[in-house]
Amino acid sequence: MDARAKKRSRGLCFFLWGGGREAQYGGQAVIEGVMMRGPRKTAVAIRRPSGEVLVESEPNASVTARYAFLKLPLLRGVVALFESLILGIRYLAFSANQAMEEEEEELSTRDLVLTVAFALAVAVGFFVLLPAGAALVLRNYLSIFWQNVVEGFLRMLLFLGYVAAIGRVKDIQRVFQYHGAEHKVINALEAGEELRVETVRPYPTLHPRCGTSFLLLVMVLTIVFFSLVGRGGIAWRLASRLVLLPVVAGLAYELLKFTGRHLDVFWVRVIAAPGLWLQKLTTREPDDGMLEVALAALAAARDDGEKNDPGAGDTGSAE
């Protein structure tokens, strides 16, 4: 696998979940592009080395359409998480290949799946198991409550340090710029703005339904949920974290949807504020070319995409 592609594939893919009737579009920054997902279609737009914007789209196929009970609260959050991860891997592989020069070796889906699987294993070990084990060392000095508080804050410090560190990598900075472009376009759409580069540009790069905010909610909720677990050895402590993680993720998803719908309420804005602050680490101000790409992805994901051409004259469509 090409060395540059490997480095790119290790970058964070931040996604924006759709959160209800009022906000049915969400997206994800990929390598040199943006993926957008609507109620019926998912599309990706990639800026190729030649300058051409390649756009592809496909109908959505969610497992919740076959099994209605998976739409129940808590369950739907876990399903959305796994489906977003699977889509992210697919479109990350696609974008990595499209963003490379023709003479470079293509990044296969198998290569990327192995890379992402390894990265997930490292992430679980680094952000879940390591803080849990470190807090257990203090069991002779602290109550179970304070052990979990220490574990939670250690997890947050590790996450913030990781994001700040990778944000200094040039390739990841461009992913963060496309992340900002994705947010600007979604903010403009939800404001009823005309979808053109000039009108989208003033909108903020932050959004309350961002995956960054979701991760922060997960870390905060782990402090509460893990505190409910009684004392035990290292095996019990680590196993309980892994078992409860899907429950925490499902609850965080519901809370994210709720805050996204009720930002007019003061205390809801207070809850959402830390996640928005954290997004300042995971977004950057995009250039106009990046906004064109995000607009092209959204237009292709919309049922009326043909009527909302973002004005990128070099945009090609391949459905």
Side-chain angles (χ1 to χ4, degrees):
M1 181 167 48
D2 181 81
R4 189 171 69 175
K6 283 183 179 179
K7 181 171 68 173
R8 283 172 168 171
S9 68
R10 285 194 292 265
L12 289 178
C13 294
F14 294 92
F15 50 86
L16 175 67
W17 273 319
R21 297 177 183 176
E22 304 87 352
Q24 296 180 326
Y25 290 87
Q28 173 179 308
V30 294
I31 298 170
E32 294 300 325
V34 171
M35 181 268 283
M36 290 285 186
R37 191 178 188 187
R40 297 179 180 85
K41 295 168 64 179
T42 297
V44 64
I46 307 295
R47 178 77 69 180
R48 304 191 69 185
S50 63
E52 170 196 7
V53 178
L54 176 66
V55 180
E56 291 202 1
S57 64
E58 63 179 359
N60 289 339
S62 175
V63 69
T64 57
R66 183 179 303 176
Y67 303 104
F69 74 93
L70 293 177
K71 296 180 181 179
L72 293 173
L74 295 183
L75 286 178
R76 60 187 176 185
V78 177
V79 173
L81 178 62
F82 280 101
E83 289 188 342
S84 296
L85 180 61
I86 293 170
L87 277 175
I89 293 173
R90 287 181 51 211
Y91 284 111
L92 184 59
F94 176 77
S95 66
N97 289 329
Q98 295 299 324
M100 289 189 295
E101 301 290 349
E102 291 183 1
E103 64 271 13
E104 295 185 72
E105 179 186 355
E106 284 199 352
L107 176 66
S108 69
T109 301
R110 177 180 175 276
D111 289 334
L112 188 59
V113 167
L114 291 176
T115 301
V116 172
F118 176 75
L120 286 175
V122 172
V124 170
F126 193 65
F127 297 117
V128 179
L129 303 184
L130 177 61
L136 188 63
V137 175
L138 302 174
R139 64 182 182 274
N140 293 329
Y141 307 98
L142 298 175
S143 67
I144 188 65
F145 172 80
W146 286 110
Q147 288 178 46
N148 284 290
V149 170
V150 169
E151 177 185 341
F153 277 101
L154 179 58
R155 183 175 294 113
M156 288 187 189
L157 287 175
L158 289 172
F159 177 70
L160 292 174
Y162 172 73
V163 173
I166 68 166
R168 302 177 67 87
V169 179
K170 184 177 179 180
D171 283 340
I172 304 303
Q173 288 175 358
R174 289 191 62 81
V175 173
F176 287 174
Q177 283 183 280
Y178 277 106
H179 187 205
E182 168 216 331
H183 283 189
K184 281 178 177 280
V185 169
I186 294 294
N187 281 321
L189 172 69
E190 293 175 352
E193 185 67 77
E194 184 180 1
L195 298 178
R196 295 184 294 109
V197 170
E198 296 77 12
T199 54
V200 168
R201 192 186 298 125
Y203 280 85
T205 60
L206 311 180
H207 195 285
R209 292 195 325 275
C210 176
T212 307
S213 297
F214 167 78
L215 291 176
L216 183 62
L217 285 173
V218 167
M219 287 184 284
V220 172
L221 289 175
T222 56
I223 299 176
V224 178
F225 273 76
F226 294 168
S227 297
L228 301 177
V229 179
R231 292 180 178 273
I234 183 65
W236 166 254
R237 190 179 186 91
L238 300 184
S240 66
R241 271 49 178 169
L242 294 177
V243 170
L244 285 175
L245 197 55
V247 179
V248 172
L251 185 59
Y253 176 82
E254 299 300 329
L255 187 56
L256 193 71
K257 285 169 63 72
F258 178 83
T259 57
R261 288 195 303 263
H262 300 284
L263 283 175
D264 55 323
V265 180
F266 173 75
W267 65 268
V268 174
R269 292 199 300 272
V270 171
I271 293 176
L276 294 173
W277 297 336
L278 185 57
Q279 288 176 46
K280 294 182 179 181
L281 291 178
T282 65
T283 61
R284 300 286 189 276
E285 190 67 28
D287 59 34
D288 287 355
M290 294 172 176
L291 291 176
E292 287 180 354
V293 171
L295 285 166
L298 178 62
R302 299 183 71 185
D303 291 333
D304 58 345
E306 296 81 4
K307 299 179 182 179
N308 291 276
D309 186 353
D314 56 352
T315 298
S317 178
E319 294 194 31

